[in-house]
Amino acid sequence: MSNAYLSQIERGLHQPSLKVLRSIAGALNLSGEALLAQAGVIDRDAPASAAAATTVESAIRADPDLTEDEIQVLLGVYRNFRQRRS
């Protein structure tokens, strides 16, 4: 990942992929969740049920044996189940 690309992300000119976000988090020795919380994308003070959902979604995203398509399908199914219970 080049400095120019990172600069474009910082200036909001590009939306980084999940793979890029994981790479940035790893380089900073942070979890993906911690990176997103520090960026203000997720709220660490969210209710416990929201935190549990974030943990489940993080686990799905972190599974190295899943393809990106499989991850998206699993996230969709999980979110659908959660919405039906709300």
Side-chain angles (χ1 to χ4, degrees):
M1 183 175 340
S2 70
N3 287 338
Y5 182 65
L6 284 173
S7 174
Q8 291 173 349
I9 292 171
E10 289 174 338
R11 291 180 286 143
L13 300 176
H14 283 284
Q15 295 279 333
S17 68
L18 184 56
K19 184 176 180 179
V20 169
L21 290 174
R22 284 184 185 150
S23 178
I24 292 170
L28 297 171
N29 292 320
L30 295 171
S31 69
E33 183 179 355
L35 178 70
L36 294 175
Q38 286 186 9
V41 176
I42 60 173
D43 183 7
R44 281 204 167 162
D45 298 327
S49 63
T54 301
T55 302
V56 171
E57 291 190 18
S58 295
I60 291 170
R61 287 188 187 99
D63 190 325
D65 295 328
L66 297 174
T67 67
E68 188 61 35
D69 288 340
E70 291 168 336
I71 290 170
Q72 293 308 314
V73 168
L74 284 171
L75 289 173
V77 169
Y78 177 70
R79 290 172 182 157
N80 186 19
F81 283 135
R82 288 190 51 84
Q83 283 179 340
R84 291 191 326 186
R85 288 180 174 43
S86 298

